[in-house]
Amino acid sequence: MTELLAVRDLAVAYANGTVHAVDGANLTLRRGGMLGLVGESGCGKTTLARALMGVLPGGARITRGEARLDGTDLVALAPAERRARLWRDLAFVPQTAMSALDPVYRLRDQMREVLCDRGGLSRAEADMRAAELFEAVGLHPRRLADYPHQFSGGMRQRAAIALALALRPKLVIADEPVTALDVIVQRQVLDTFRSLSAELGLSAIIVTHDISVVAYLCDQVAVMYAGRVVEHGPTDAVLEQPSHPYTMGLMNAFPDLESDEAVLAPIEGSPPPLSDPPPGCRFAPRCPFAEAICTREVPPPVTLAPDHWSACHRAPEAAALRQRARDPLTWRDVAEAAA
Amino acid sequence: MSTTLEQPLVAAYGLTKHYPVGRSLRQALRGERPVLRAVDGVDLALRPGESVGLVGESGSGKTTIGRLLLKLTEPSAGQVAFEGEDLGRLSRSATLRFRQRAQLVFQNPFDALNPRFSIGRTLTEPLSNTGVPKVEHADRVAESLRHVHLGDPARVLERMPHQLSGGQLQRVVLARALVLRPRFLVADEPVSMLDVSVRAGILNLLRELRDTLGLTTLAISHDLTLVRYVCERTLVMYLGKVVEDGPTAQIIAKPAHPYTRALIRAVPRPYVDQPRDALPLHGALGDAASLATGCRLRNRCPHAFDRCAAETPPLAEIAPGHRVACHLHTT
């Protein structure tokens, strides 16, 4: 099991450094792995993905930390050098495929642009490779002659995945790749990723708010809260034995199709403003298990098992906390204390 | 159809909504006027106090049904009755009365509220608009805020929408619908814009309102897990038709229509050990503008046989309160 990507203490600031959308994020991805990066809106997951891609919006910049892809620190590279690595080392699948595809060109021409201009292939080679790529994502190569608007939503998303895979990148980052899709089409796109992982050994980061998507697709998961990764580990361990109170809360708040008896428990309150985050653990104000130390000191990652860590001061007691977290009343008490 | 003789609160008969779509030159020369059959001959009845989920993919017509039942758009054919009265023949004053009794909860709380109105004004406005005496306003607003558990009313009333979180805003949107003491509530994707941790609170609230206020609710959603949590009964739509209707628990455990089966199997589950086999359905969603006769799913259905192309399957009862539109179930 070799490490492909290692992100250490990465921070991204907006607005002249007054708002840290990502503030000390840690992440690892092994070669051939599928990592789910989950969190709620505003937690910094998209900013983190964009920082890795080197496509942060204007006004945002990386202020510290490193992101090593195959040993090379992407943060230390000059912008031109980073751009040169797009498509080849890293490729991106955005949430709405329409923004990855150019509406006025046929898919074949868009494939040629990447494969010939960036990949140095001849036209004939490019067309052959494009046909292979379409087949790999379950589209008929004949559809390469079509314009993006002639595709349905799910097919467009698969075409965007095919384009991202064009130069056999080491890593694909997909930002909410199935969020805008209906459930049956969503399943088809998820299965496309699954077969690419099984057959081509694709390494990918799937950014999503949906734990079920991670459970279906990913072997590793990183849970983000207020700009930091709070828990990281194998998907089954994190979802079945959540060890950070935020992950425990998320699992309680998530309805499942079959368990109608269970009562959902919301996590009361809202995430802190990133312009003025609380000292210590950022989840402490909403956490039913917070102690004095939690509001003072930033919790370091505590290793619970190989590859599984939780950034919680009480991580060693996780099993006992998990028991208490299953009771919806545990979470209601925090709301009453806050009110 | 109903197991009781009680009059339905809301009923639709042959409800149809067609929208004109662009036509080709050939169609124009032939004088053809192609239509998109958004809703195509739907019969349904909601009993008082029932909470019903309406599920389907985008383009299935579920939002159009919600709008038709609320008289926000007029049907192309068929009719809607509310408390036994035909919505198409309401007098002006009866329409106003209907608008108080039937309310819509919007999908996006960030868009649904006027950003320049305080929460107090947002909640009072429907009362003034419908002529509720001013002396009652404060009590009615406080009552609706209590229903949605928005904490200390005195503190909330002066807030502006931007000072509230998404979950609090969705509670205000619900309170605004409840302030007129409606009998019927249509909630179109009520939590789709909210984060998971907040969503649970709104889902619990919808359950509670169902139990305590005796409201008749129609929750429109693409999300089966939501409907499973909030609604006793579920209607499944495919391309303008209701294809299955029955108790939610029964539909999830034993879906009878091939489309419902695929829909349920397609929902990813929040644990690793879950089925990942191929869906029993092929191809993509059909096109509601070009529909021939017969079952609309037949080109995607693994069980289709000759009768499916020849006859449109009617919605027929297969168990008490459980109806399915599929020839596999008609003998």
Side-chain angles (χ1 to χ4, degrees), chain A residues 7-328:
Chain A
V7 176
R8 296 279 167 265
D9 194 32
L10 194 75
V12 180
Y14 282 90
N16 304 319
T18 53
V19 178
H20 276 85
V22 176
D23 198 4
N26 296 304
L27 206 65
T28 49
L29 174 66
R30 64 178 177 79
R31 204 175 303 279
M34 285 268 193
L35 174 76
L37 183 59
V38 286
E40 302 182 88
S41 33
C43 74
K45 57 190 190 299
T46 295
T47 301
L48 176 54
R50 286 179 159 272
L52 295 176
M53 288 299 302
V55 291
L56 284 170
R61 65 198 166 81
I62 294 174
T63 51
R64 62 168 202 275
E66 56 173 45
R68 290 191 182 277
L69 180 69
D70 245 353
T72 311
D73 185 5
L74 298 172
V75 176
L77 292 178
E81 240 178 302
R82 283 198 81 166
R83 272 196 299 278
R85 287 172 183 262
L86 282 184
W87 298 102
R88 189 176 288 288
D89 278 4
L90 294 131
F92 191 57
V93 180
Q95 179 168 355
T96 46
M98 223 34 198
S99 47
L101 304 174
D102 191 327
V104 302
Y105 288 103
R106 295 174 195 277
L107 263 300
R108 173 169 294 121
D109 295 323
Q110 304 192 36
M111 282 286 190
R112 278 180 186 163
E113 188 181 337
V114 175
L115 290 164
C116 303
D117 300 358
R118 292 241 179 200
L121 269 64
S122 72
R123 274 197 161 200
E125 287 167 341
D127 289 354
M128 263 173 58
R129 172 97 182 112
E132 281 168 29
L133 287 163
F134 259 45
E135 269 170 6
V137 298
L139 292 173
H140 198 286
R142 202 174 47 221
R143 301 299 304 258
L144 280 162
D146 289 344
Y147 291 95
H149 74 265
Q150 293 170 292
F151 285 69
S152 69
M155 290 164 83
R156 230 177 260 157
Q157 201 68 20
R158 281 184 270 169
I161 296 169
L163 198 62
L165 295 175
L167 298 183
R168 298 190 177 89
K170 292 175 183 163
L171 173 63
V172 169
I173 298 177
D175 188 9
E176 301 275 9
V178 296
T179 303
L181 304 174
D182 275 315
V183 60
I184 290 178
V185 184
Q186 166 177 326
R187 172 65 167 268
Q188 291 163 346
V189 173
L190 291 176
D191 285 340
T192 302
F193 274 110
R194 249 166 25 97
S195 71
L196 292 170
S197 160
E199 285 155 29
L200 305 179
L202 177 75
S203 308
I205 296 178
I206 310 289
V207 179
T208 179
H209 68 284
D210 191 342
I211 290 168
S212 299
V213 164
V214 174
Y216 187 80
L217 185 62
C218 302
D219 57 327
Q220 298 276 311
V221 58
V223 182
M224 273 191 93
Y225 183 77
R228 293 185 183 140
V229 176
V230 295
E231 185 164 358
H232 194 310
T235 309
D236 51 354
V238 173
L239 300 190
E240 273 145 43
Q241 284 152 8
S243 299
H244 192 284
Y246 176 62
T247 322
M248 296 175 196
L250 272 187
M251 294 309 292
N252 274 347
F254 211 86
D256 180 38
L257 202 53
E258 272 171 15
S259 53
D260 59 328
E261 304 309 323
V263 175
L264 300 179
I267 304 175
E268 301 291 346
S270 349
L274 292 170
S275 52
D276 182 25
C281 174
R282 291 182 173 184
F283 187 60
R286 300 172 78 187
C287 180
F289 312 122
E291 294 178 330
I293 187 177
C294 304
T295 54
R296 279 195 321 261
E297 285 172 37
V298 176
V302 177
T303 302
L304 303 154
D307 296 334
H308 186 181
W309 56 260
S310 161
C312 171
H313 288 299
R314 302 190 66 182
E317 307 163 60
L321 300 185
R322 220 162 21 238
Q323 284 295 329
R324 290 170 56 196
R326 288 206 187 98
D327 184 355

Side-chain angles (χ1 to χ4, degrees), chain A residues 265-270 283 285-286 331-336, chain B residues 171 197 201:
Chain A
I267 304 175
E268 301 291 346
S270 349
F283 187 60
R286 300 172 78 187
W331 298 86
R332 206 171 301 163
D333 292 345
V334 190
E336 275 154 22
Chain B
R171 284 170 198 265
S197 67

Side-chain angles (χ1 to χ4, degrees), chain B residues 18-22 33-36:
Chain B
H18 291 174
Y19 291 102
V21 289
R33 298 190 179 279
V35 290
L36 178 98

Side-chain angles (χ1 to χ4, degrees), chain B:
Chain B
M1 163 198 340
S2 130
T3 48
T4 70
L5 294 171
E6 204 176 2
Q7 188 191 35
L9 182 76
V10 188
Y13 308 97
L15 193 61
T16 300
K17 180 72 182 178
H18 291 174
Y19 291 102
V21 289
R23 52 182 173 173
S24 66
L25 180 62
R26 177 178 293 175
Q27 285 171 321
L29 290 174
R30 286 184 183 160
E32 289 172 10
R33 298 190 179 279
V35 290
L36 178 98
R37 298 153 185 247
V39 174
D40 210 15
V42 167
D43 296 323
L44 58 85
L46 309 183
R47 290 181 287 278
E50 220 181 0
S51 69
V52 178
L54 185 61
V55 297
E57 296 177 273
S58 37
S60 63
K62 57 190 192 302
T63 293
T64 306
I65 289 217
R67 294 177 57 85
L68 287 165
L69 296 184
L70 289 174
K71 199 176 158 58
L72 296 173
T73 185
E74 295 300 324
S76 314
Q79 53 166 290
V80 179
F82 184 78
E83 295 178 324
E85 281 188 274
D86 180 355
L87 286 189
R89 293 160 186 248
L90 292 184
S91 66
R92 238 184 118 95
S93 61
T95 304
L96 273 178
R97 230 175 17 248
F98 169 71
R99 295 252 176 264
Q100 296 172 38
R101 292 187 189 176
Q103 291 286 320
L104 175 66
V105 177
F106 289 87
Q107 176 171 160
N108 186 343
F110 303 94
D111 284 348
L113 300 175
N114 186 327
R116 286 192 274 196
F117 283 8
S118 68
I119 303 311
R121 185 165 171 199
T122 298
L123 295 178
T124 315
E125 190 135 282
L127 297 171
S128 343
N129 288 348
T130 51
V132 174
K134 234 180 172 159
V135 289
E136 293 178 25
H137 287 190
D139 285 349
R140 292 280 289 269
V141 167
E143 171 194 285
S144 69
L145 284 174
R146 256 199 321 278
H147 288 320
V148 300
H149 306 298
L150 251 186
D152 180 6
R155 266 170 55 193
V156 175
L157 290 176
E158 281 157 34
R159 299 280 185 90
M160 301 303 282
H162 73 263
Q163 294 172 302
L164 300 182
S165 68
Q168 289 172 319
L169 285 178
Q170 193 57 302
R171 284 170 198 265
V172 172
V173 170
L174 265 168
R176 183 177 60 178
L178 294 175
V179 78
L180 291 170
R181 295 180 178 156
R183 294 196 65 194
F184 179 42
L185 205 65
V186 174
D188 192 353
E189 300 283 6
V191 297
S192 67
M193 299 299 290
L194 302 176
D195 272 319
V196 178
S197 67
V198 177
R199 197 178 278 198
I202 302 291
L203 292 180
N204 284 340
L205 183 58
L206 287 171
R207 258 190 172 187
E208 190 186 311
L209 293 175
R210 173 191 84 188
D211 296 341
T212 56
L213 298 184
L215 280 173
T216 305
T217 51
L218 183 72
I220 300 171
S221 182
H222 68 286
D223 185 352
L224 271 160
T225 54
L226 175 157
V227 166
R228 167 65 154 160
Y229 195 68
V230 178
C231 307
E232 307 142 349
R233 186 176 144 209
T234 296
L235 303 172
V236 181
M237 284 195 80
Y238 185 73
L239 290 183
K241 295 254 187 215
V242 171
V243 295
E244 189 159 357
D245 167 13
T248 306
Q250 203 172 325
I251 284 195
I252 304 258
K254 282 188 185 151
H257 197 282
Y259 178 68
T260 316
R261 250 178 256 158
L263 204 59
I264 289 166
R265 287 263 290 277
V267 176
R269 317 297 287 274
Y271 41 83
V272 173
D273 192 9
Q274 58 176 306
R276 291 182 175 80
D277 32 46
L279 296 180
L281 200 65
H282 29 255
L285 189 71
D287 182 355
S290 60
L291 285 170
T293 51
C295 173
R296 296 175 177 201
L297 190 69
R298 67 175 190 275
N299 294 333
R300 304 176 67 188
C301 180
H303 310 291
F305 58 110
D306 44 3
R307 195 170 161 203
C308 303
E311 288 170 52
T312 306
L315 201 53
E317 196 156 61
I318 55 162
H322 192 171
R323 300 184 299 159
V324 181
C326 176
H327 288 310
L328 291 174
H329 296 277
T330 52
T331 42

